[in-house]
Amino acid sequence: RILAIEEEAFFNLNQLEILILNENKIENLNPNIFKNLSKLKRLNLTNNSIEFLEPYQFCSLKNLKTLNLFSNKLKSIEKCAFK
């Protein structure tokens, strides 16, 4: 199971359209982790341990159609996380 994802883990995957990271133990998402995934359409983060979404967390995901955060430990979502 994945506990953490390094900031540049997806850096060279700019054609990626679907990213499934469900059923892990991810607690934190680096604010820039998705910055090069401009073609991403589906992101599944279900069943992790994410507590917070940083400002502008998903702002570079201009083509994102589906974001699944079900069954996490979300305590706070910055209002600008999705801008």
Side-chain angles (χ1 to χ4, degrees):
R1 295 199 179 214
I2 299 170
L3 300 174
I5 303 171
E6 294 193 25
E7 181 175 348
E8 296 188 7
F10 308 117
F11 187 74
N12 291 321
L13 299 175
N14 58 350
Q15 298 299 312
L16 191 68
E17 293 186 5
I18 300 171
L19 181 57
I20 300 171
L21 294 168
N22 63 310
E23 304 289 335
N24 286 291
K25 296 187 178 198
I26 301 167
E27 293 181 1
N28 300 305
L29 295 172
N30 183 292
N32 296 314
I33 197 165
F34 304 120
K35 71 179 177 184
N36 290 332
L37 300 180
S38 61
K39 294 192 177 183
L40 195 69
K41 294 180 181 177
R42 290 179 37 204
L43 177 57
N44 186 341
L45 293 164
T46 302
N47 292 320
N48 278 286
S49 298
I50 300 167
E51 293 184 2
F52 303 99
L53 295 180
E54 299 290 337
Y56 309 105
Q57 185 79 66
F58 304 105
C59 69
S60 62
L61 302 178
K62 304 296 183 196
N63 289 301
L64 191 66
K65 303 291 183 212
T66 305
L67 172 62
N68 195 336
L69 292 165
F70 178 77
S71 194
N72 276 282
K73 298 178 180 180
L74 287 169
K75 295 178 182 176
S76 173
I77 299 174
E78 293 290 331
K79 63 181 176 182
C80 53
F82 299 97
K83 283 189 177 181

